[in-house]
Amino acid sequence: MGAPTGQEGSSPGMSEQEARQYMERLRSAPVEQVAAELISSVLNAAQVKLGRRDARLLIDLAAMMTDQVREYVSGDLGKQIDQALAQLRLHQVNAENEAAGREPEAGDLDRVPAPPRAAGQAAPAEQPRPASRLWVPGQ
């Protein structure tokens, strides 16, 4: 279910009728299906970007999305996403270690993204981080 883009909700080559049909399918789609597709897209992007700083941001984004929808989707979907996230985190750390000392790639973030905060949690004061390469979500 690819999302239409461009003006008036349609992409070049998508007729107005096709755009309406897409919107109808999207409107009637179960939230689990929509959430699975969105999270899957973010996880796929993170996989392609492994070793880059923006991969961390995408992995954290997928985790936050999953936490937000967890009570509305099946336990099986939650487990599948959790397994994918665990694998991506491990692969990200390995890819970062391999890329250590190399110049950043074009289009990557200019700094390591801050870990996600719990809902309602205030932003922490800037503190020097230890030199450890261990990535612990939320820290």
Side-chain angles (χ1 to χ4, degrees):
M1 195 186 295
T5 58
Q7 291 187 336
E8 299 178 28
S10 65
S11 65
M14 182 182 275
S15 71
E16 190 174 323
Q17 180 181 3
E18 290 170 327
R20 273 196 215 107
Q21 289 172 342
Y22 169 78
M23 297 302 243
E24 287 173 18
R25 285 193 315 270
L26 183 60
R27 184 163 178 86
S28 65
V31 73
E32 180 160 342
Q33 178 185 348
V34 175
E37 289 180 14
L38 289 170
I39 294 168
S40 177
S41 292
V42 174
L43 291 173
N44 287 332
Q47 184 175 10
V48 169
K49 291 176 171 275
L50 284 173
R52 295 168 48 125
R53 295 171 183 150
D54 50 358
R56 278 186 180 233
L57 182 64
L58 293 169
I59 292 167
D60 288 342
L61 175 61
M64 290 174 61
M65 292 168 64
T66 303
D67 288 345
Q68 187 65 31
V69 301
R70 190 174 300 276
E71 70 180 274
Y72 303 102
V73 300
S74 70
D76 286 342
L77 178 59
K79 287 178 189 174
Q80 288 174 355
I81 296 169
D82 289 341
Q83 289 171 349
L85 284 166
Q87 290 176 351
L88 280 174
R89 286 178 177 127
L90 178 62
H91 291 304
Q92 174 67 9
V93 170
N94 291 336
E96 284 178 353
N97 287 335
E98 289 176 14
R102 288 191 218 150
E103 289 294 315
E105 293 182 46
D108 198 2
L109 298 173
D110 62 349
R111 63 188 182 279
V112 175
R117 295 185 298 267
Q121 182 182 7
E126 285 295 316
Q127 299 174 11
R129 301 202 108 172
S132 170
R133 303 261 327 151
L134 180 62
W135 179 27
V136 179
Q139 291 186 356

